[in-house]
Amino acid sequence: MADTLLQTDQETKPGGVESLPGRRNKVGENSKVGENSVFLAMSAGVVGAVSYACSLLMANMLPTIDYTHFASAAMLMGIVGIVASALVPLPLSHVVAVNPEGSEERKDGLAFSVFVSCLAGAAAAVVTGMVTLAFATPALAGAVALGSLAIFIVTAPSGWLQGELRFTWVALTNIGEVVLRLGFSVLVIFLAWGAGGAVLGFAVGSVAPLAVPLSFYRDLHWRPRVLLDKWRWAETIEIASVLCVVSVLVGLDVVVVGFLDEGSSAAAGFQALASVAKGPVYVAAGTALVVFPLLRTPGADVRKILGAAFTSFGQLAVVAFVIIATAPHALAGLIVPQKYHGSLELLPWLAVAGLGYAVLMVLSTILLAVRAYRRCQVGLAVACLLVVGGLWAGWCLNAVAGMAVGSAAGSVLASVVLALIARPVLAAAKRPGGVAWRWFAYPAGLAVVLGVASQFQPLLWLLLASGAGSAILAHQRGLLPGWSKVARRVQRLTGIWMPFFAVVAGAFCVRALGLERGFELWVDELLYVRLGESVSTGHFPTLPDGPFFLHPPGYFILEAGIIRLFNVSGEIVDVVLHLRWLNAALGALTVGLGFLLVKRLTSAAPAWLCAVLLAFEPFILRNNSHAFLETSAMAAVLAGFLILLRTPKRAKEAVPFLRLAVAGLLLGYGVLCKDFFIICTFVPVLVAVLWKQTLPWRKAAVVAAVAAIPYAAYLAVVALRGQMPDWVWAKSNGLLRMSGVEKNTGFTAEGSPSIVSRLIEQSGHFGTSYILLALCPVVSLLLCFSLHAGRRFVGLAGLALGVAGAYSAIFGTFEEQYGYGVMVAGVLCSVLAVVELIERYPKGRRALAAMSICFIALAVLLGVRTALTVDNGFASARQWVTANLPADARVSVTNSTGELVFRDDARFGIWPSAPLMKEHGVNYILTQSLPISQGYGYANPTMLAWLKEHATPVFTSEGPTNGDTTLWFVREADLDVAASANIGFPSKDHGTER
């Protein structure tokens, strides 16, 4: 198929180079594709770094509006440079590669290229000058026009060097060009020539590419007749039109943001970071420069060239993307001016966009090289719609920040579409991407490691990133001769784990989207963090009012280890936001474990669907984004299940005791994190012995005995401390509350909203979650009758959780975070049940598959909505208070979360009614509209109604969890009247909830 496409897409050109004698064969250079690509990518990186130094110099020395004009003009010049490289060097490199020095055809081709560069340069000068006039002064427009003309004129030497395969010379001239521009920029600053003078540096730097061997000038002759050769124009226009579109797409976001949001710091920050984030594009440029002339060389081994090119590009571009996307703000802020630091949150999105643009550039260059013009043009037409549509949608939704997200989405979708269109052509490489795909596990793991390191220890991130980048470059340059053998061994060992690493990395990225600003602070996680801090200092889990026994210490010990390892400290909110990354990592691990478990019990396709559902399910995503106990517990339980349900290779093979012991310890650690998980650990293990001989009794006995060890050790410590009565009291009260005998929390508590009303209210956010909650006991019961023992065991665990959840919702105390275990079990059992039904009723395969995919798509949409929705009222209020609240102010909080958030601030206290506010001299009050209206917290709903009529809101933040988080200023006269009327009598006792 690929060969047919190459023949049909290729046009025979009369008098073209394919019919000329004297062609040279440089196939031996094919083996150096990776090495030359790396060298050119490194030089492109140097060029990018020096270019960014120029931009940074201008950003610091020019006023904001001048820098915005300069950045837009610089991007225009960059587009001109890419268009010039497409219009002249690539066609010329083909002519030079296939014709010997001094031949007539080479002289004709060189003359044609010079004429085209002059004509196109004049046209570019007019176009860019007119575009610049739309947003800048005539002086700057003139400088841009002159620079555009100069850039075009000097492109012929670059094409000649590429055709000669002198890539070292190409790299040196590129570096020389940008160094000249940097020196001229310093002169511009010294002479205060402004943005126009800075743009003239492009014209000055264009002198460097003229430094080429004399043989270039010996081939240069005056031959205007070559302009009459139609086939030359046809090929040049084909190449130029394609790469012109690519270049415009690469730089469109920077130009558009400068035009739409002219003069703003947000736009300038976007432009400054976009230059850094397009690091993968430098790699793509190096790959394109090497691949095009080699693929056009007669006798070239297409498979070998494409295989080496994809491997080199895949490794370098993905690693560059990971390093840029995970860069800590503390380090990224060193290369970005202070006034643009507010845009640092856009860097990961811009890095994704850079990777997408890089893939577009490489694929389109390869399609051009094999003359698959029509496929390339169709793919780029779709890419234009996707990229422009993404930018437009992003701007409409959230201005500059939205454009960063839209640019990422548009470029990635465009690259995927172009890859699908190019797939038949690229098949000629005999799956060249296979080698690159095997390397994906390493960047995926690197993304997780660097992402965690960047949040806690920027210097550790710098060390790891430098080591990873150096190792890849050294391997590409052949400086690690023994690495190939080691890599092959590692690949064999980790081949089955590669999808697992990819799933975990993807799930972690999803959780990182809104971790710090998309999920409101909860009182539970604030208390759990305090408990973790107490353990990190060597104490038993303790709160200010004494030792804590309501939950076991498994999660608190884990928190303490992270606090000690990464030296996490600060105010309570800062520590919580840091420790949320721990749960994000554990949640991502849970997704990966669920993927492996379903794959072990079914096949790859259901496992991938399960992974997507676990990664995006909004309720699971929300729990993983808080410092809650359930995430760590469920991760341990699934790890235990995965080890326990491993199928022996032979039917009579004995299961090693060590494996059973590890599975038992993991299940026991899950219970040590939260007692509730005894329901899905001990219960299914014991019941599985009786139910259809799902689990042999010897195996069950070992697992149950070992699983009891962690909790038994905890009880032994409690007993040695003489605190067993306190533990018994805490557990008995917890059981009474969970059973519903005491109803002071949850949906069944007096004055709380009913669970039905809450489900209806939240269905727009968690509709799929509620369906899974309801399905859990049903599909689990179905699995209990499966012929597969592993599926029956998972069904027993899901049934236990589902029944417990149903009882809690109807009779007991069902709080939202209690549903996490039920939700994860519901996902696993639902996917396994669909497979079971398809196996039993093959005729319904298509209907079940279609319903499953639609359900998963809906869950993905709701999950993305949940992650991107801003819901950080307390954190925003804290920032406002730090910056604006008077030192002598007195503020009342109205719930336990606010009490803990501001506990260290002496200005805050619990005075939620008008009489209490007057008694303590309070003139501000912080409220959360949704909890107060539902009867939660300390304040009475009548107090909120009075505040809306008589107080002045000085700060408001809206979010789905708390509604409007508002800081009210109350005038003394109004407060006196309200106190006399006893407005806002507190609805609950004051004190910290446990």
Side-chain angles (χ1 to χ4, degrees), residues 554-611:
Y555 178 66
F556 311 139
I557 294 172
L558 184 59
E559 279 186 317
I562 297 298
I563 290 172
R564 294 290 295 274
L565 179 63
F566 294 101
N567 193 27
V568 180
S569 61
E571 296 184 11
I572 182 64
V573 174
D574 298 323
V575 178
V576 168
L577 294 179
H578 278 97
L579 289 179
R580 279 184 174 183
W581 289 99
L582 168 63
N583 272 31
L586 292 173
L589 179 63
T590 301
V591 177
L593 292 171
F595 168 81
L596 292 179
L597 185 61
V598 172
K599 185 178 180 182
R600 177 165 295 175
L601 299 178
T602 56
S603 59
W608 281 108
L609 293 176
C610 177

Side-chain angles (χ1 to χ4, degrees), residues 697-711:
W697 72 268
R698 289 185 177 87
K699 182 187 291 189
V702 172
V703 172
V706 176
I709 292 176
Y711 208 94

